[in-house]
Amino acid sequence: MADSDPNMGRDTLEGGRARSEAISWQELLAQDSRPAPAILTEESYEYRGSEPLDASRYTSEDFARLEREKMWPHVWQFAAREEDIPEAGDYTVFENAGRSWLISRQEDGSVKAMHNVCLHRGRKLRTEDGTADKFTCPFHGFAWNKDGSFDGMPCSWDFKHLSAEKMSLPEAEVGRWAGYIFLREEKGGPSLEEYLAPLPEFFKRWRHEECTTVIWVAKEVPANWKVTAEAFMEAWHTVVTHPQLLPFTGDANSAYWIYGDNVNVNHVPFGIMSPHVDPDGKTQQWIVDEFCKYNGRSADNYDAAGDPFAVSVPEGMTARAALGAAMRAGYSAQTGYDHDDATDAELLDGLVYNVFPNFAPWGGFMPNIVYRWRPGKTPDTCLMEVRIIARVKKGDPMPHGVPMKLLTKDQKWTDAPELGVLGHVFEQDMDNLPYVQDGLHASKTGKINLGDYQEIRIRQFHQTLDKYLGAGAAE
């Protein structure tokens, strides 16, 4: 029946692991209008223990120093997208954890990542993105070519002790995948593909290399970078923090899976009513109407008649199937690509992947969110970035990505209207995160307790972090 409740409750224990009494993610996908690929249905979970975490991981400068020294130089860091620097000579400045880099496109299309520091007196060579065949220091005029080789300096007679070979800018290792550019400061260790596995295999289906950045907003957050990132590693805070999403968000139907040390995912279904909502009198049409009304609230004078997703749910069809069909047709028309075999989940749901330590791309065929979190100058601040990438229409040239809009500390996410309803959601998170940071400083126990299933991604994250920092890092 069209109006039947898909969240038929039952008590399920699998392998000793408690689960929500709601319909599971896999059962939900089995009802979708297209067969789901194995990457979305094969569970990857393992119990990782239930021990508390030490609050000082988020507040201590000593712990932040260990991260800078032992973790950040040895991990693959998402530094840029290909469309940020499309032409030879284009460069972008990437800064993280006390380092500054020039990500520069070379004549042969390759990319180099060089330290953005003059080897004379230490001035940063560039502070803004741009195009240049040569990087000349504004202080004394020492100059480097775009490949990092030394070009020359004024008064060379006074620097006979410096050879051109010694003066090449130090380089980082560069890796490229699916339109993303990564760097690793210290060479050695797993290749980028090995580090990202199984993401490259999963994302073959969603082809992020065919996308460009259409929205990019960043804001300083008064909370540790891990506190902020972890707010986006679970959906179960929706019931309290984002109650307006419950009519069409299966928060308790979500799946939480981990892959090895570096990759994890939270699959969050949309187009389904939260098990926390009283289903009495709620129809499948009500779910669609609530979904469309909410997502249209960011537009002036929202008109359902002009919304291609404001569909009528036929008798015998679920809201998910109706929304999936509308999005299947809509995205096919917008992009010129055939989406006939795309599952409802790939068109509608939050397929939120994380790669250690701070890269979080969404999967699926819709415009995808890409998160990145970077530590601030103290453990109590960070920079949170939200990119949205969208598929370029088939046959069209790849356009330059939009530049990053940096909100001031006092601005709100809603001051970036291009984010739409996401800005309101992020502001609700901001109502928590500064007080989480304050609470961690004030904690009497100094301990953080995690759920075994819904917060498994957070536990995996910290266990991987400890592998870089060494035994006893949590104490």
Side-chain angles (χ1 to χ4, degrees):
M1 297 293 293
D3 297 338
S4 63
D5 177 18
N7 290 316
M8 296 299 291
R10 65 203 169 282
D11 187 13
T12 303
L13 290 175
E14 300 175 359
R17 302 187 304 276
R19 290 292 187 270
S20 164
E21 294 182 357
I23 184 173
S24 73
W25 166 258
Q26 290 98 323
E27 290 169 320
L28 186 61
L29 260 62
Q31 300 175 7
D32 276 359
S33 58
R34 300 290 190 278
I39 60 175
L40 295 181
T41 60
E42 293 182 356
E43 182 181 37
S44 182
Y45 173 90
E46 62 173 315
Y47 175 67
R48 292 285 193 106
S50 301
E51 298 78 11
L53 302 178
D54 196 281
S56 65
R57 302 173 74 89
Y58 304 93
T59 61
S60 163
E61 172 54 34
D62 286 340
F63 195 89
R65 176 182 51 79
L66 285 175
E67 292 176 345
R68 292 192 298 270
E69 293 176 356
K70 295 188 175 184
M71 185 271 286
W72 287 111
H74 301 282
V75 297
W76 284 105
Q77 302 178 43
F78 165 44
R81 285 273 306 172
E82 298 279 359
E83 68 269 15
D84 297 341
I85 50 169
E87 304 294 335
D90 290 347
Y91 68 90
T92 185
V93 176
F94 170 64
E95 298 189 330
N96 188 37
R99 298 292 193 209
S100 183
W101 309 88
L102 292 167
I103 315 298
S104 175
R105 179 79 67 185
Q106 304 301 301
E107 290 296 330
D108 62 359
S110 64
V111 175
K112 289 201 170 189
M114 300 157 288
H115 284 259
N116 180 31
V117 177
C118 177
L119 298 181
H120 172 220
R121 298 266 291 276
R123 190 196 193 279
K124 287 182 179 177
L125 296 172
R126 291 290 185 273
T127 57
E128 296 180 347
D129 300 351
T131 301
D133 288 328
K134 189 179 296 185
F135 300 111
T136 301
C137 179
F139 196 1
H140 293 91
F142 278 61
W144 286 264
N145 299 309
K146 65 173 175 280
D147 64 357
S149 61
F150 188 57
D151 181 70
M153 81 286 262
C155 298
S156 58
W157 55 266
D158 204 19
F159 294 90
K160 299 298 184 184
H161 53 291
L162 298 180
S163 64
E165 292 75 19
K166 289 182 179 179
M167 291 295 286
S168 292
L169 292 176
E171 290 186 38
E173 203 170 1
V174 172
R176 298 159 69 184
W177 165 75
Y180 299 97
I181 300 170
F182 295 79
L183 66 79
R184 182 167 56 191
E185 181 177 345
E186 297 296 337
K187 296 182 180 180
S191 68
L192 178 61
E193 291 72 20
E194 292 168 337
Y195 188 88
L196 296 175
L199 223 61
E201 184 63 31
F202 288 8
F203 276 65
K204 280 181 182 178
R205 185 170 171 89
W206 302 316
R207 306 188 306 277
H208 278 201
E209 63 273 12
E210 295 174 355
C211 300
T212 192
T213 300
V214 295
I215 296 171
W216 186 6
V217 182
K219 176 175 167 47
E220 182 180 344
V221 177
N224 186 264
W225 70 277
K226 299 183 293 297
V227 164
T228 307
E230 288 163 16
F232 298 85
M233 290 188 194
E234 44 85 5
W236 78 280
H237 68 280
T238 302
V239 65
V240 175
T241 302
H242 310 300
Q244 77 279 10
L245 306 180
L246 297 178
F248 50 84
T249 303
D251 54 335
N253 310 98
S254 298
Y256 297 88
W257 298 341
I258 59 176
Y259 302 90
D261 287 339
N262 298 330
V263 178
N264 58 52
V265 68
N266 180 195
H267 294 310
V268 186
F270 297 130
I272 179 175
M273 187 168 52
S274 168
H276 296 104
V277 173
D278 182 357
D280 188 37
K282 309 295 195 305
T283 67
Q284 295 296 299
Q285 186 64 55
W286 179 82
I287 296 172
V288 170
D289 293 345
E290 291 297 306
F291 176 88
C292 291
K293 280 193 297 183
Y294 180 74
N295 283 282
R297 282 174 189 156
S298 61
D300 293 332
N301 302 316
Y302 171 69
D303 179 13
D307 185 348
F309 302 140
V311 295
S312 296
V313 182
E315 180 69 23
M317 182 178 284
T318 65
R320 274 178 65 80
L323 286 167
M327 292 181 176
R328 191 174 290 108
Y331 294 145
S332 295
Q334 290 172 18
T335 68
Y337 289 93
D338 183 5
H339 289 80
D340 187 61
D341 69 340
T343 65
D344 299 336
E346 292 172 299
L347 298 162
L348 183 61
D349 294 343
L351 312 178
V352 191
Y353 289 84
N354 271 69
V355 176
F356 184 84
N358 65 333
F359 170 52
W362 285 39
F365 292 108
M366 73 289 283
N368 295 120
I369 298 172
V370 181
Y371 296 124
R372 180 170 63 183
W373 303 273
R374 292 187 267 173
K377 291 186 177 180
T378 76
D380 295 324
T381 63
C382 73
L383 186 72
M384 174 175 166
E385 297 171 63
V386 181
R387 283 189 193 236
I388 297 180
I389 63 172
R391 199 168 308 280
V392 176
K393 191 165 187 178
K394 190 174 184 179
D396 286 358
M398 179 68 68
H400 198 294
V402 300
M404 185 179 79
K405 174 188 284 188
L406 179 60
L407 299 175
T408 66
K409 183 170 58 176
D410 297 325
Q411 285 182 296
K412 296 180 178 294
W413 286 103
T414 48
D415 290 327
E418 60 267 42
L419 289 173
V421 295
L422 284 176
H424 297 278
V425 173
F426 296 151
E427 274 306 305
Q428 290 175 314
D429 291 312
M430 295 305 108
D431 289 339
N432 290 324
L433 297 181
Y435 301 104
V436 172
Q437 191 67 23
D438 287 349
L440 290 167
H441 279 284
S443 173
K444 171 66 173 177
T445 67
K447 300 297 180 183
I448 301 299
N449 292 292
L450 300 176
D452 288 343
Y453 182 67
Q454 293 181 108
E455 291 169 333
I456 187 62
R457 304 170 78 202
I458 299 174
R459 189 170 298 282
Q460 177 221 36
F461 171 87
H462 283 275
Q463 290 176 347
T464 299
L465 179 57
D466 282 348
K467 288 183 178 182
Y468 285 94
L469 304 191
E475 298 304 324

Short mmCIF file of all heavy atoms in Angstrom, two decimals, residues 292-328:
data_model
loop_
_atom_site.label_atom_id
_atom_site.label_comp_id
_atom_site.label_asym_id
_atom_site.label_seq_id
_atom_site.Cartn_x
_atom_site.Cartn_y
_atom_site.Cartn_z
N CYS A 292 9.90 18.41 -0.24
CA CYS A 292 9.96 19.48 -1.23
C CYS A 292 9.78 20.85 -0.58
O CYS A 292 10.46 21.81 -0.95
CB CYS A 292 8.91 19.25 -2.32
SG CYS A 292 9.27 17.82 -3.36
N LYS A 293 8.87 20.95 0.39
CA LYS A 293 8.67 22.23 1.07
C LYS A 293 9.95 22.66 1.77
O LYS A 293 10.35 23.83 1.70
CB LYS A 293 7.52 22.11 2.08
CG LYS A 293 6.14 22.21 1.46
CD LYS A 293 5.06 22.41 2.51
CE LYS A 293 4.98 21.22 3.47
NZ LYS A 293 3.88 21.38 4.45
N TYR A 294 10.59 21.72 2.45
CA TYR A 294 11.80 22.09 3.18
C TYR A 294 12.91 22.49 2.22
O TYR A 294 13.57 23.53 2.41
CB TYR A 294 12.28 20.95 4.07
CG TYR A 294 13.53 21.34 4.81
CD1 TYR A 294 13.47 22.23 5.88
CD2 TYR A 294 14.78 20.87 4.42
CE1 TYR A 294 14.61 22.64 6.54
CE2 TYR A 294 15.93 21.27 5.07
CZ TYR A 294 15.85 22.15 6.13
OH TYR A 294 16.99 22.56 6.76
N ASN A 295 13.14 21.71 1.19
CA ASN A 295 14.23 22.00 0.26
C ASN A 295 13.95 23.23 -0.59
O ASN A 295 14.88 23.80 -1.17
CB ASN A 295 14.50 20.79 -0.63
CG ASN A 295 15.27 19.71 0.10
OD1 ASN A 295 16.47 19.79 0.28
ND2 ASN A 295 14.55 18.68 0.56
N GLY A 296 12.69 23.66 -0.65
CA GLY A 296 12.36 24.87 -1.39
C GLY A 296 12.34 26.13 -0.57
O GLY A 296 12.17 27.21 -1.10
N ARG A 297 12.57 25.98 0.74
CA ARG A 297 12.47 27.15 1.61
C ARG A 297 13.59 28.14 1.41
O ARG A 297 13.48 29.30 1.81
CB ARG A 297 12.44 26.70 3.08
CG ARG A 297 11.06 26.17 3.49
CD ARG A 297 11.07 25.59 4.89
NE ARG A 297 9.80 24.90 5.15
CZ ARG A 297 9.65 23.94 6.03
NH1 ARG A 297 10.68 23.55 6.75
NH2 ARG A 297 8.49 23.37 6.22
N SER A 298 14.69 27.71 0.79
CA SER A 298 15.79 28.64 0.57
C SER A 298 15.53 29.54 -0.62
O SER A 298 16.24 30.51 -0.84
CB SER A 298 17.09 27.86 0.34
OG SER A 298 16.98 27.05 -0.82
N ALA A 299 14.51 29.22 -1.42
CA ALA A 299 14.18 30.03 -2.59
C ALA A 299 13.06 31.01 -2.25
O ALA A 299 12.16 30.71 -1.47
CB ALA A 299 13.76 29.12 -3.75
N ASP A 300 13.15 32.21 -2.82
CA ASP A 300 12.09 33.18 -2.62
C ASP A 300 10.83 32.70 -3.34
O ASP A 300 10.88 32.24 -4.48
CB ASP A 300 12.51 34.55 -3.15
CG ASP A 300 13.66 35.14 -2.35
OD1 ASP A 300 13.77 34.81 -1.15
OD2 ASP A 300 14.44 35.92 -2.93
N ASN A 301 9.70 32.84 -2.65
CA ASN A 301 8.41 32.52 -3.26
C ASN A 301 8.40 31.10 -3.84
O ASN A 301 8.13 30.90 -5.03
CB ASN A 301 8.08 33.53 -4.35
CG ASN A 301 8.05 34.96 -3.83
OD1 ASN A 301 7.49 35.22 -2.76
ND2 ASN A 301 8.66 35.88 -4.56
N TYR A 302 8.72 30.14 -2.99
CA TYR A 302 8.72 28.74 -3.46
C TYR A 302 7.37 28.38 -4.03
O TYR A 302 6.32 28.64 -3.44
CB TYR A 302 9.06 27.80 -2.30
CG TYR A 302 8.87 26.34 -2.66
CD1 TYR A 302 9.71 25.72 -3.56
CD2 TYR A 302 7.82 25.60 -2.11
CE1 TYR A 302 9.54 24.38 -3.91
CE2 TYR A 302 7.64 24.27 -2.44
CZ TYR A 302 8.50 23.67 -3.34
OH TYR A 302 8.31 22.35 -3.68
N ASP A 303 7.40 27.76 -5.21
CA ASP A 303 6.19 27.36 -5.91
C ASP A 303 6.31 25.88 -6.26
O ASP A 303 7.15 25.50 -7.08
CB ASP A 303 6.01 28.19 -7.18
CG ASP A 303 4.78 27.80 -7.98
OD1 ASP A 303 3.93 27.05 -7.43
OD2 ASP A 303 4.66 28.24 -9.14
N ALA A 304 5.49 25.07 -5.62
CA ALA A 304 5.55 23.63 -5.88
C ALA A 304 5.30 23.31 -7.34
O ALA A 304 5.81 22.32 -7.87
CB ALA A 304 4.54 22.90 -5.00
N ALA A 305 4.51 24.16 -8.01
CA ALA A 305 4.20 23.90 -9.42
C ALA A 305 5.45 23.98 -10.29
O ALA A 305 5.52 23.37 -11.36
CB ALA A 305 3.15 24.89 -9.91
N GLY A 306 6.44 24.72 -9.83
CA GLY A 306 7.68 24.84 -10.61
C GLY A 306 8.79 23.94 -10.12
O GLY A 306 9.92 24.03 -10.60
N ASP A 307 8.48 23.05 -9.18
CA ASP A 307 9.48 22.14 -8.62
C ASP A 307 9.32 20.77 -9.27
O ASP A 307 8.30 20.10 -9.07
CB ASP A 307 9.28 22.03 -7.11
CG ASP A 307 10.34 21.18 -6.42
OD1 ASP A 307 11.11 20.50 -7.13
OD2 ASP A 307 10.38 21.19 -5.18
N PRO A 308 10.32 20.33 -10.07
CA PRO A 308 10.18 19.03 -10.75
C PRO A 308 10.13 17.85 -9.79
O PRO A 308 9.74 16.75 -10.20
CB PRO A 308 11.42 18.97 -11.63
CG PRO A 308 12.42 19.87 -10.97
CD PRO A 308 11.61 20.97 -10.36
N PHE A 309 10.53 18.05 -8.54
CA PHE A 309 10.52 16.95 -7.58
C PHE A 309 9.25 16.93 -6.73
O PHE A 309 9.06 16.02 -5.91
CB PHE A 309 11.75 17.02 -6.68
CG PHE A 309 13.04 16.99 -7.44
CD1 PHE A 309 14.11 17.79 -7.07
CD2 PHE A 309 13.19 16.18 -8.55
CE1 PHE A 309 15.31 17.76 -7.78
CE2 PHE A 309 14.38 16.15 -9.28
CZ PHE A 309 15.45 16.94 -8.89
N ALA A 310 8.38 17.94 -6.88
CA ALA A 310 7.13 17.99 -6.13
C ALA A 310 6.10 17.11 -6.83
O ALA A 310 5.13 17.58 -7.42
CB ALA A 310 6.64 19.42 -6.00
N VAL A 311 6.32 15.81 -6.75
CA VAL A 311 5.52 14.85 -7.52
C VAL A 311 4.36 14.33 -6.71
O VAL A 311 4.34 14.39 -5.48
CB VAL A 311 6.41 13.67 -7.98
CG1 VAL A 311 7.47 14.15 -8.94
CG2 VAL A 311 7.05 12.98 -6.78
N SER A 312 3.37 13.82 -7.41
CA SER A 312 2.28 13.09 -6.77
C SER A 312 2.67 11.62 -6.70
O SER A 312 3.14 11.04 -7.69
CB SER A 312 0.98 13.25 -7.58
OG SER A 312 0.57 14.60 -7.59
N VAL A 313 2.48 11.03 -5.54
CA VAL A 313 2.87 9.64 -5.33
C VAL A 313 1.73 8.73 -5.79
O VAL A 313 0.64 8.76 -5.21
CB VAL A 313 3.20 9.36 -3.85
CG1 VAL A 313 3.64 7.92 -3.67
CG2 VAL A 313 4.26 10.32 -3.36
N PRO A 314 1.94 7.92 -6.83
CA PRO A 314 0.88 7.02 -7.28
C PRO A 314 0.53 5.98 -6.23
O PRO A 314 1.36 5.64 -5.36
CB PRO A 314 1.48 6.36 -8.53
CG PRO A 314 2.62 7.24 -8.94
CD PRO A 314 3.14 7.83 -7.67
N GLU A 315 -0.67 5.48 -6.31
CA GLU A 315 -1.10 4.41 -5.42
C GLU A 315 -0.15 3.22 -5.55
O GLU A 315 0.22 2.81 -6.65
CB GLU A 315 -2.52 3.97 -5.78
CG GLU A 315 -3.08 2.86 -4.91
CD GLU A 315 -3.35 3.31 -3.48
OE1 GLU A 315 -3.53 4.53 -3.25
OE2 GLU A 315 -3.37 2.45 -2.59
N GLY A 316 0.28 2.68 -4.41
CA GLY A 316 1.16 1.53 -4.41
C GLY A 316 2.63 1.85 -4.52
O GLY A 316 3.47 0.95 -4.52
N MET A 317 3.00 3.15 -4.61
CA MET A 317 4.40 3.55 -4.72
C MET A 317 4.83 4.25 -3.44
O MET A 317 4.04 4.92 -2.78
CB MET A 317 4.61 4.47 -5.92
CG MET A 317 6.06 4.89 -6.14
SD MET A 317 6.30 5.94 -7.61
CE MET A 317 6.21 4.72 -8.91
N THR A 318 6.10 4.09 -3.06
CA THR A 318 6.63 4.79 -1.89
C THR A 318 7.11 6.18 -2.27
O THR A 318 7.34 6.48 -3.45
CB THR A 318 7.81 4.02 -1.28
OG1 THR A 318 8.89 4.01 -2.22
CG2 THR A 318 7.42 2.60 -0.91
N ALA A 319 7.27 7.02 -1.26
CA ALA A 319 7.81 8.35 -1.48
C ALA A 319 9.22 8.27 -2.07
O ALA A 319 9.58 9.04 -2.97
CB ALA A 319 7.83 9.13 -0.16
N ARG A 320 10.02 7.32 -1.59
CA ARG A 320 11.38 7.16 -2.11
C ARG A 320 11.36 6.85 -3.60
O ARG A 320 12.13 7.42 -4.37
CB ARG A 320 12.10 6.01 -1.38
CG ARG A 320 12.77 6.41 -0.10
CD ARG A 320 13.42 5.21 0.58
NE ARG A 320 14.51 4.64 -0.18
CZ ARG A 320 15.76 5.12 -0.21
NH1 ARG A 320 16.04 6.23 0.45
NH2 ARG A 320 16.71 4.51 -0.90
N ALA A 321 10.50 5.93 -3.99
CA ALA A 321 10.44 5.55 -5.40
C ALA A 321 9.97 6.72 -6.26
O ALA A 321 10.48 6.94 -7.36
CB ALA A 321 9.54 4.35 -5.57
N ALA A 322 8.99 7.48 -5.76
CA ALA A 322 8.48 8.62 -6.53
C ALA A 322 9.54 9.71 -6.67
O ALA A 322 9.74 10.26 -7.76
CB ALA A 322 7.22 9.18 -5.85
N LEU A 323 10.23 10.01 -5.57
CA LEU A 323 11.30 11.01 -5.64
C LEU A 323 12.45 10.50 -6.50
O LEU A 323 13.05 11.26 -7.28
CB LEU A 323 11.79 11.34 -4.24
CG LEU A 323 10.86 12.21 -3.39
CD1 LEU A 323 11.30 12.21 -1.93
CD2 LEU A 323 10.80 13.63 -3.93
N GLY A 324 12.79 9.21 -6.36
CA GLY A 324 13.86 8.64 -7.17
C GLY A 324 13.55 8.75 -8.65
O GLY A 324 14.43 9.09 -9.46
N ALA A 325 12.31 8.47 -9.04
CA ALA A 325 11.93 8.55 -10.46
C ALA A 325 12.04 9.98 -10.97
O ALA A 325 12.52 10.23 -12.09
CB ALA A 325 10.50 8.03 -10.64
N ALA A 326 11.61 10.94 -10.14
CA ALA A 326 11.69 12.35 -10.55
C ALA A 326 13.14 12.79 -10.70
O ALA A 326 13.51 13.49 -11.65
CB ALA A 326 10.96 13.22 -9.54
N MET A 327 13.99 12.36 -9.77
CA MET A 327 15.40 12.74 -9.84
C MET A 327 16.11 12.01 -10.97
O MET A 327 17.00 12.58 -11.62
CB MET A 327 16.07 12.47 -8.50
CG MET A 327 15.56 13.39 -7.40
SD MET A 327 16.36 13.12 -5.80
CE MET A 327 15.60 14.44 -4.84
N ARG A 328 15.73 10.79 -11.23
CA ARG A 328 16.32 10.03 -12.34
C ARG A 328 16.08 10.77 -13.65
O ARG A 328 17.00 10.94 -14.47
CB ARG A 328 15.73 8.63 -12.37
CG ARG A 328 16.44 7.66 -13.30
CD ARG A 328 15.86 6.25 -13.15
NE ARG A 328 16.22 5.66 -11.85
CZ ARG A 328 15.38 5.48 -10.85
NH1 ARG A 328 14.10 5.81 -10.99
NH2 ARG A 328 15.79 4.96 -9.71
#
